[in-house]
Amino acid sequence: MLPYGRQSIAESDVEAVTEVLRGDWLTTGPAVGAFEAELARWTGGVPCVAVTSGTAALHVAYVAAGVRPGDEVVTSPLTFVATAATAALLGARVVFADVQPDTGNLDPVSAAALVTPRTRVVTAVDYAGHPADYDELRAVADEAGALLMADAAHSIGSAYKGRPVGALADLTTFSFFPTKTVTTAEGGAVAVADSQRFRRAARFMNHGLVRDPAEQRHPGEGGWHQEVHAFGLNYRLPDVLCALGLSQLRRLRRFRARRAELVARYHLMLSDVPGLVLPAQRAYVEPSWHLYPVRVRDGRRREVYERMRAAGIGAQVNYLPAYRHPVFEDLGYRRGLCPLAEAYYAEELSLPLFPGLSDAQQERVAETLAGILS
């Protein structure tokens, strides 16, 4: 089965991990800081905290934003459920706004209609690696007195109007799952510009520990002393995985270039296929394509999905609108809440896209899809 996405591991990655395994630090060591510093080069200098997953990054970011029970978080339903679940776990009410019909990104007009005085965060999702419309969403968040957050799980290395993802929102989260552009096996990160929110994020992901005597309540206990002033969790990403991530980040430009090349080839090969809509790209955006999401018209998406899979091509669907998961149904959310997101989901099909995809494999994908639809 040709997968829709997979990791790209080189000998340099293996050597980087092996070097850490032979050293003194498996976790909380120098590779963590090196990885965070390299990641900050891609966020325009905005400092980053590495964590154990993209989901952990969302949880940490919402905590850093001060999300509490009774707050509201406005976000897109066209995302993996973690974008909403991590806010709900903190007691927030998740408010789903509709999406733009071409990019699948959060629609600023829809979001503006749903913000209230209780809105704490507006969370955009860079669907498929295409940055959302951050200038318009910034205006929506500012008008509501809320923070703007970017779920950039798909879009590391992307730019919006010449500015890098990571520097566009108050908080930005990344994911380094194996199908993503850069992987640490499992892992994520939060980019935070504000120093107080950064400190809150860094403490929460490390049990809430306070180690600086100047900030401790009882600093005279001894050199071993550390305190917890607010509860946190262990979301530390170990040195072994940070070493892999650092090695991967050094090839991010090549990863992005190959993905862009594959997207351009898909555009050429599929432009005349009937009943197929190709992904859109804004002129002012430089995406990092994580997915190649086509739209299959005329109610044929399931047929095409099953026939592609039967042919050994691992097409995928991204995503079931988050509020249609039973956990949100049980909270009172109902189908039809976001008609454009549901229409997008009903037609979406992700084709294989990863740097190791060969031209011949891609041609097989395109020929199989064209054969089914023609």
Side-chain angles (χ1 to χ4, degrees):
M1 178 70 70
L2 181 65
Y4 88 96
R6 74 182 308 274
Q7 66 273 16
S8 299
I9 300 297
E11 189 59 32
S12 57
D13 299 324
V14 176
E15 291 171 358
V17 171
T18 303
E19 183 178 353
V20 170
L21 290 173
R22 289 176 174 149
D24 295 328
W25 296 87
L26 294 183
T27 190
T28 67
V32 179
F35 175 61
E36 291 171 339
E38 182 67 17
L39 185 57
R41 292 182 61 242
W42 288 94
T43 64
V46 176
C48 300
V49 176
V51 295
T52 51
S53 69
T55 301
L58 289 161
H59 193 190
V60 169
Y62 284 132
V63 169
V67 172
R68 296 178 177 87
D71 289 339
E72 294 177 350
V73 171
V74 177
T75 192
S76 165
L78 198 62
T79 180
F80 186 63
V81 67
T83 310
T86 45
L89 283 167
L90 291 170
R93 176 176 176 264
V94 181
V95 180
F96 292 103
D98 218 336
V99 302
Q100 297 167 328
D102 56 347
T103 65
N105 281 333
L106 182 65
D107 179 13
V109 175
S110 179
L114 293 172
V115 295
T116 74
R118 291 181 175 230
T119 303
R120 173 74 67 171
V121 178
V122 176
T123 303
V125 177
D126 295 340
Y127 183 79
H130 187 294
D133 281 316
Y134 282 100
D135 285 350
E136 290 83 353
L137 289 169
R138 168 63 72 187
V140 172
D142 287 351
E143 181 68 22
L147 295 176
L148 180 61
M149 184 164 139
D151 181 342
H154 294 183
S155 61
I156 186 171
S158 297
Y160 166 84
K161 297 184 179 179
R163 291 173 284 155
V165 164
L168 302 169
D170 297 302
L171 303 109
T172 303
T173 65
F174 298 102
S175 171
F176 307 123
F177 189 72
T179 57
K180 301 302 197 302
T181 304
V182 164
T183 187
T184 58
E186 290 277 7
V190 187
V192 194
D194 178 81
S195 60
Q196 287 189 331
R197 284 192 283 269
F198 180 86
R199 185 163 60 249
R200 194 181 304 157
R203 283 185 179 174
F204 181 75
M205 57 75 64
N206 190 23
H207 300 284
L209 292 172
V210 178
R211 290 184 167 133
D212 184 352
E215 298 180 0
Q216 290 175 346
R217 194 171 299 173
H218 307 289
E221 292 287 327
W224 63 84
H225 184 59
Q226 51 192 358
E227 300 175 347
V228 173
H229 295 181
F231 291 124
L233 296 169
N234 179 1
Y235 281 150
R236 297 189 301 256
L237 191 64
D239 282 58
V240 177
L241 301 186
C242 285
L244 173 58
L246 179 59
S247 178
Q248 290 260 307
L249 280 174
R250 289 169 177 160
R251 303 205 309 284
L252 177 52
R253 283 188 176 83
R254 275 182 277 165
F255 289 157
R256 292 186 70 242
R258 178 56 179 165
R259 286 174 177 268
E261 180 183 5
L262 290 167
V263 166
R265 283 171 50 83
Y266 268 139
H267 283 349
L268 286 173
M269 290 186 284
L270 298 174
S271 61
D272 296 325
V273 175
L276 197 67
V277 178
L278 305 186
Q281 179 179 339
R282 301 276 189 263
Y284 45 81
V285 163
E286 299 170 32
S288 284
W289 291 106
H290 164 57
L291 302 174
Y292 189 78
V294 299
R295 305 271 297 273
V296 181
R297 299 293 199 191
D298 304 322
R300 297 188 65 189
R301 194 269 307 274
R302 181 165 183 169
E303 172 205 349
V304 172
Y305 169 86
E306 291 176 349
R307 290 178 65 179
M308 293 283 280
R309 289 245 162 183
I313 296 170
Q316 185 58 282
V317 173
N318 304 95
Y319 299 94
L320 177 72
Y323 57 79
R324 286 180 53 176
H325 286 281
V327 66
F328 281 104
E329 289 181 348
D330 292 347
L331 292 172
Y333 294 82
R334 294 291 177 259
R335 295 190 182 203
L337 185 62
C338 297
L340 295 177
E342 297 203 16
Y344 195 105
Y345 161 70
E347 296 179 340
E348 197 274 340
L349 191 72
S350 299
L351 303 183
L353 183 68
F354 52 92
L357 185 70
S358 70
D359 289 356
Q361 288 172 324
Q362 186 184 29
E363 287 159 12
R364 176 179 155 231
V365 173
E367 289 167 4
T368 303
L369 178 59
I372 294 169
L373 288 173
S374 298

